[in-house]
Each structure stands twice: as C-alpha cells, then as structure tokens.
Amino acid sequence: MKAAVLHEVNQPLVIEDISVPNPGPREVLIRTKVAGLCHSDLHFIEGLYPHPLPAVLGHESAGVVEKVGSDVTYVKPGDHVVTCLSVFCGTCDNCTTGRPVLCTDTTVKMLPGQSNRLSWGRKEKLNQFLNLSSFAEQMLVHENAIVKIRKDMPLELAALIGCGVITGYGAVVNTAKVQAGESVVVIGCGGVGMAAINGAEIAGAGRIIAVDTNPAKLQLATKLGATDVVDPRNGDVVQQVRDLTNGGVHHSFEVLGRKETAEQAFAMLAPGGTATIVGMIPFGQKIELHGFDFLRERRIQGSSMGSNHFRVDMPRLVEFYMRGKLHLEDWISAKIKLSEINEGFANMKAGKTLRSVIMFDA
Ligand code: NAD
Ligand code: ZN
C-alpha cells in the first residue's frame, strides 16, 4: 500500500510502498478513506516537536474496518470508524477516573518509536505516528483508538472530528466547561480554533471573540458563531479584547502554539478567568506570566485533544452535524490526493486553507 513517509525534518514527504501485518488479538485493520492535514503534523515536519524518523504521519482520519483481531468485539468488517490518537487502556488510574486522554498504559498508548506495526522491506525501522499513521492507504490500530459512527455520515466530514473538531470543541466543553452566557476568546481560527468557536456557540457562550490575522478566517468565524472579531494587525490584541469585554474575558483559548499568543491569552482574562492552551508551543519554549495576575484567581491550563471521551463525544458531534449545529462542510478548503500532500502542507503554512483532506478513493 501507499503511504507518505517523512524521512527528515523540513524535507518533502515521499510516497512509498509499505505494509502492515495481520491484526494482533486487539488490533483492527482499517481501509483509510479520508485523512485531514492538521497543523500538528506540520509541527513535526518542521522539527518543532521531535519524533523518531522515518515515520508515516497523519492522525485525523476516517475509514472502513477491513479485518479485526481475534479478541475484538467492538467492530466488524464494514463498520465505519473515526480514529483518535487518544487511545486508551480503560484500566489505568486516569482511564478509570474519567480522564482517558491521559492514559498511562504504554502497552496500549505506545510511546514514539515503540510500535512495530509498519514495515517496508528495509532494515531501517518505519515508525508509526501517534499510534495511527493516517497518511497511508491502510491503518493498523488498537481497537481502543477508534469509534464507530453511523454509515450515513459522510466520511470526509467524519475525519475532521478525529482531531481538529474534537480538540477545539472539547477544549471549550470538556476542558474549560464554558457555561451559558460566559465570554470566550479564541486566538487562532484555523481548523481547531474554528471548532472552538462552533463549540462555544453550541455551549451557549455569550460573547464569542475570534482573533486571527486572516480576514477570510474571521469572516467564516462569524458564520460559525463569533459575535466579534479582532485582527492583531489593528493594534494590541489584549487591549482590543478588554475594550470589547468591559475589562477581560471569562475564557480564552490559545489555538496557535506560540509564546506571545499564550501570554496574550492569560493577560486578557477577567479576574477568575481561565486561559486554555490548545496550541502546541514549540518544544522547550517557556512562556512568561505576571505573577500578580494569579492573586485575582486567574488560571491557565493545558488541553489535550479536547479532554475527550471520544467514544461518547464523537458520535455526539456527528449528531450535532446531522442537526445542523456543527458546520463541518465549512472546514474543507481542498480535497486532495495522497500524492498532493506536500502542496497541502505548503498551503497550510501559507494560511490559505482551513483543512485539506486527502481522499484516498479519488
Ligand atoms: P491552522 O494552521 O489551521 O490555524 C492557525 C491559525 O492561526 C490560522 O488561521 C492563522 O491565520 C492564525 N494566525 C496566525 N498568526 C496569528 C496571530 N498572530 N494571531 C492570531 N491568529 C494567527 O492550525 P490548526 O490545525 O488549527 O492547529 C492549531 C494549533 O493547535 C496547532 O499548534 C496544533 O498543533 C494544535 N493542536 C493541538 C492539539 C491538542 O491536543 N492540544 C490537537 C490538535 C492541534
Ligand atoms: Zn491534529
């Protein structure tokens, strides 16, 4: 089968022939139908986050089950599934206390370089990425890395839920638990930020302020629920937000992954407000905050994959789409082939796209 392999950071991905073995007892072989390009993949391509190479990236996908291992009862061949990198064991302390995103069982949630699921007829090991590797025609995954979805859900829209949508929506609903009427700021309105905005709208947030340097993104944000927009090029972002909110917001979400914007997210909080950092700030970088701000009970927290319980959350997101509350069609800027993946990332870097999705059957 064909897969896009990253050999070295800052080099184009190369389409190569690779293979996967038959599923082990708790594994599922999936025919990949759609894979979205997420900015997290780009962070790894650019070496801002380390990963053993060569590797097949990709982690936002949907497909159809082809084969299941001997102990798998959850799915059968033909089922439609969405993948999630938040693979869980179900028995560690974090899983059993309701935080499966933080699963600590590394036999299930394997560490980078640990999985031996991909091979390619060379001595050199080919690494699986985040226990998924979606930029490939097939995926071999643990059964707890997938969720079944209804078959009338278009797979290209379902794929988006697998990372971008669950991350943005979940940051608002699960991590920050935004209450009806509270004010929200989303800094960075890409695929993930847009889901935070749509999620804030679903949660009944009051003021929803979108911050982005791209006017086209701000326009779409308004369609998805933003009540106000802020362009950083028009002056100090923190001051602009304070002016709009009578002194500060209840919830800010940094969905970009930069030191400056993470600091802005904290600085724009009202007393008692919470900043949630969703963006992946380059590995090793530190952020600076004013200590005084903590005296008024301002908080800052991380959010991993929207603190999801994806077996519950993702089918609910499908229902939101079906009921017209989640505007997934608006996310897709381009449908591309696997062979066009490098162009897809170049467009992401240039800010031209919200989401490009690889259509494997096209
Ligand atoms: P994206 O490239 O689609 O979007 C980034 C957006 O930021 C663009 O709309 C761009 O115009 C805007 N932008 C650029 N500079 C800006 C500035 N100074 N101020 C405001 N906006 C600005 O990215 P994405 O796929 O939505 O991912 C966003 C971030 O979320 C990335 O860092 C990604 O790695 C991270 N992420 C985190 C998790 C998690 O579990 N925490 C999961 C998925 C993605
Ligand atoms: Zn992602």
Side-chain angles (χ1 to χ4, degrees):
M1 62 144 154
K2 296 264 182 285
V5 179
L6 177 66
H7 287 268
E8 272 180 63
V9 298
N10 287 314
Q11 293 299 313
L13 308 184
V14 183
I15 309 298
E16 313 222 19
D17 269 313
I18 70 159
S19 51
V20 284
N22 273 320
R26 297 200 63 195
E27 289 178 336
V28 177
L29 180 67
I30 298 163
R31 174 67 47 183
T32 316
K33 293 290 181 185
V34 187
L37 274 51
C38 172
H39 208 120
S40 301
D41 298 304
L42 186 57
H43 289 324
F44 284 90
I45 293 172
E46 293 183 325
L48 297 177
Y49 273 75
H51 195 278
L53 299 179
V56 176
L57 302 184
H59 62 278
E60 182 178 276
S61 47
V64 177
V65 173
E66 246 175 31
K67 269 189 202 167
V68 301
S70 53
D71 290 349
V72 173
T73 53
Y74 174 65
V75 284
K76 56 181 185 320
D79 282 346
H80 289 194
V81 293
V82 175
T83 59
C84 187
L85 67 89
S86 311
V87 54
F88 59 92
C89 72
T91 54
C92 72
D93 284 4
N94 283 327
C95 282
T96 45
T97 53
R99 303 182 80 184
V101 156
L102 304 180
C103 176
T104 53
D105 183 344
T106 55
T107 63
V108 175
K109 195 182 182 85
M110 287 189 269
L111 300 171
Q114 200 182 327
S115 136
N116 288 316
R117 291 187 179 126
L118 306 182
S119 55
W120 56 345
R122 302 183 204 182
K123 267 204 193 137
E124 200 184 0
K125 181 181 162 82
L126 179 58
N127 292 286
Q128 191 179 35
F129 180 60
L130 303 174
N131 293 287
L132 295 175
S133 287
S134 309
F135 297 153
E137 290 171 332
Q138 289 174 306
M139 291 174 278
L140 183 65
V141 304
H142 192 280
E143 62 170 327
N144 287 357
I146 54 176
V147 55
K148 268 185 288 201
I149 53 158
R150 45 193 274 194
K151 286 191 176 168
D152 56 349
M153 176 68 183
L155 285 172
E156 68 268 29
L157 303 180
L160 304 172
I161 293 177
C163 176
V165 173
I166 190 71
T167 299
Y169 169 87
V172 170
V173 172
N174 295 331
T175 315
K177 297 186 170 63
V178 169
Q179 301 296 303
E182 287 184 326
S183 54
V184 165
V185 171
V186 176
I187 307 174
C189 303
V192 182
M194 226 48 106
I197 289 168
N198 202 151
E201 163 77 3
I202 290 173
R207 223 54 189 273
I208 304 175
I209 302 168
V211 184
D212 203 292
T213 43
N214 181 336
K217 302 277 173 77
L218 292 177
Q219 204 177 347
L220 179 58
T222 308
K223 183 180 168 195
L224 297 181
T227 56
D228 303 86
V229 297
V230 165
D231 187 333
R233 294 168 307 178
N234 294 341
D236 181 16
V237 171
V238 173
Q239 195 54 50
Q240 289 191 70
V241 169
R242 285 219 184 104
D243 290 345
L244 283 168
T245 52
N246 200 15
V249 278
H250 297 122
H251 292 280
S252 60
F253 296 87
E254 199 281 353
V255 200
L256 192 55
R258 293 206 193 138
K259 169 183 163 64
E260 311 77 56
T261 40
E263 290 168 356
Q264 286 169 359
F266 188 68
M268 63 176 61
L269 294 174
T274 302
T276 302
I277 307 299
V278 180
M280 290 174 64
I281 297 166
F283 194 79
Q285 240 184 53
K286 294 179 178 171
I287 64 168
E288 291 167 82
L289 308 172
H290 286 288
F292 172 79
D293 288 339
F294 290 106
L295 287 176
R296 303 299 306 278
E297 299 200 351
R298 292 180 179 89
R299 290 184 294 189
I300 186 162
Q301 63 183 348
S303 177
S304 174
M305 294 298 293
S307 310
N308 71 73
H309 316 89
F310 71 85
R311 288 261 176 100
V312 174
D313 294 339
M314 290 191 186
R316 286 185 184 172
L317 287 163
V318 168
E319 295 306 315
F320 282 140
Y321 166 72
M322 292 292 184
R323 285 166 51 198
K325 288 174 169 280
L326 185 64
H327 307 284
L328 293 173
E329 275 108 358
D330 291 326
W331 262 257
I332 298 185
S333 319
K335 294 183 180 179
I336 62 173
K337 296 188 179 128
L338 182 63
S339 56
E340 297 167 327
I341 190 166
N342 292 310
E343 208 181 320
F345 279 115
N347 286 336
M348 173 188 288
K349 200 170 157 96
K352 290 185 189 157
T353 45
L354 191 56
R355 268 303 191 254
S356 297
V357 290
I358 299 166
M359 306 291 291
F360 283 85
D361 288 344

